[in-house]
């Protein structure tokens, strides 16, 4: 009986090792142990007004609550990653929010798709945290107590 269990366990381990690991993982949750509020802001539009609204909501949350008391994460995917390009007019505001403790994620699936379609990998600012799948990051956050807001 023990041999059968051992053989079954070895078989499962062999299968697990044969599956290639994901190229990039989800970004870990923010290290904000005193955060009383957790908000994830979805940005999937390249509309400058929508970008401004997302940044305004993030900024207002950081001002309303002590930055240590609120965890704010913006997840940009699809056309929303335009916010994180080096030439975006809102770059300084994004960098300021990150400096205050907010996190801004960029979807690498979108980056890869743009590279595949155009032959050139898009540049994005260093303040952005790369995540493989933006929507999966939103799901992880909501499963861990974050409230999803899509301004």
């Amino acid at each position: 009986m023990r041999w059968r269990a051992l053989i079954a366990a070895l078989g499962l381990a062999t299968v697990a090792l044969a599956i290639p690991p994901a190229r990039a993982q989800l970004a870990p949750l923010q290290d904000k142990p005193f955060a009383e509020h957790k908000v994830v802001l979805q940005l999937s539009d390249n509309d400058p007004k929508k970008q401004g609204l997302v940044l305004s909501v993030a900024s207002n949350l950081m001002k309303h609550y002590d930055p240590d008391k609120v965890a704010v994460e913006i997840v940009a995917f699809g056309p929303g990653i335009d916010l994180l390009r080096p030439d975006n007019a809102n770059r300084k505001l994004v960098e300021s929010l990150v400096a205050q403790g907010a996190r801004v994620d960029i979807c690498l699936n979108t980056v890869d798709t743009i590279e595949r379609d155009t032959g050139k990998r898009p540049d994005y600012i260093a303040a952005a945290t790369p995540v493989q799948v933006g929507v999966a990051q939103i799901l992880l956050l909501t499963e861990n107590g974050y409230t999803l807001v899509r301004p």
Side-chain angles (χ1 to χ4, degrees):
M1 202 64 148
R2 288 186 182 176
W3 284 104
R4 284 186 186 167
L6 180 60
I7 290 171
L10 287 173
L12 288 174
T14 303
V15 170
L17 291 173
I19 299 171
R23 193 173 60 161
Q25 300 297 319
L26 298 171
L29 298 175
Q30 291 187 36
D31 184 22
K32 289 211 166 182
F34 301 108
E36 297 169 359
H37 309 281
K38 301 182 227 177
V39 177
V40 56
L41 300 165
Q42 175 183 327
L43 181 59
S44 54
D45 304 81
N46 70 353
D47 176 17
K49 286 183 181 180
K50 182 72 69 138
Q51 292 175 6
L53 183 57
V54 167
L55 294 173
S56 176
V57 168
S59 180
N60 288 338
L61 285 168
M62 300 293 278
K63 287 176 188 169
H64 183 74
Y65 300 105
D66 181 314
D68 291 332
K69 302 274 187 199
V70 64
V72 176
E73 190 156 340
I74 298 169
V75 179
F77 63 93
I81 74 163
D82 285 348
L83 173 67
L84 305 175
R85 298 211 183 217
D87 59 348
N88 189 292
N90 291 310
R91 176 182 181 164
K92 296 251 188 252
L93 183 52
V94 171
E95 292 170 339
S96 172
L97 287 169
V98 170
Q100 295 175 57
R103 186 159 68 196
V104 181
D105 301 330
I106 185 168
C107 174
L108 291 180
N109 275 355
T110 301
V111 171
D112 292 343
T113 299
I114 292 170
E115 180 179 26
R116 190 172 45 254
D117 292 348
T118 66
K120 182 180 182 309
R121 192 158 187 85
D123 293 328
Y124 55 89
I125 60 174
T129 301
V131 298
Q132 189 60 46
V133 180
V135 174
Q137 182 70 13
I138 291 171
L139 185 58
L140 171 74
L141 294 168
T142 58
E143 289 172 344
N144 282 280
Y146 280 68
T147 301
L148 173 61
V149 177
R150 187 171 189 270

